[in-house]
Amino acid sequence: MIREDKFLISRKPYAVDLNSLRGSRTDTPQGRNDYTYDGTINAVWFRRRRGVTVACIGHLWDLQHPEPADARQFLEQHTDGRYGGDTHGRWDGDSYWGNVTLAEQQRHLAILQPMLANYPAVPDGYDGWWRFGPS
């Protein structure tokens, strides 16, 4: 992924919580020092749905080798954006979509409502904007 300061919704950027990287190593049967790092990082993003700007919350995931030293390296090594982010919740200014508990929905809305109101600012606690694609 590539970090940019300028927001362009057409580039489908993500803002990430750099403190949320989590993952684990799994050895593969190919031999010594061969493993896969399965990592996820929390993210938020804006998209357009049927002509309406929406705020989304979820995570980005990737399988990597070598294991990243930190969240920035994880993002820099994450080059396959075919699947985008896994959306857990979405706010369009009128309604919320998500299959989560009510408590989780309230946590999401505490981020998504001010995020959409302050479009296209990066929400507090997040680093942005990160995008897939050539530089």
Side-chain angles (χ1 to χ4, degrees), residues 65-110:
H65 183 84
E67 181 175 352
D70 58 22
R72 286 187 179 277
Q73 186 178 16
F74 174 79
L75 293 167
E76 290 165 357
Q77 289 179 178
H78 191 356
T79 59
D80 184 357
R82 288 180 288 177
Y83 306 108
D86 285 349
T87 306
H88 301 165
R90 181 174 58 236
W91 173 248
D92 67 8
D94 291 321
S95 61
Y96 174 87
W97 169 91
N99 187 16
V100 295
T101 64
L102 181 58
E104 187 71 7
Q105 179 178 340
Q106 291 168 338
R107 283 191 292 274
H108 288 175
L109 288 170

Side-chain angles (χ1 to χ4, degrees), residues 48-52 90:
R48 301 278 295 163
R49 289 182 47 84
R50 298 181 194 100
V52 174
R90 181 174 58 236

Side-chain angles (χ1 to χ4, degrees), residues 14 45 47 59-62 78-87 132:
Y14 298 85
W45 58 94
R47 292 296 184 267
H59 70 269
L60 299 169
W61 64 272
D62 195 28
H78 191 356
T79 59
D80 184 357
R82 288 180 288 177
Y83 306 108
D86 285 349
T87 306
F132 291 102

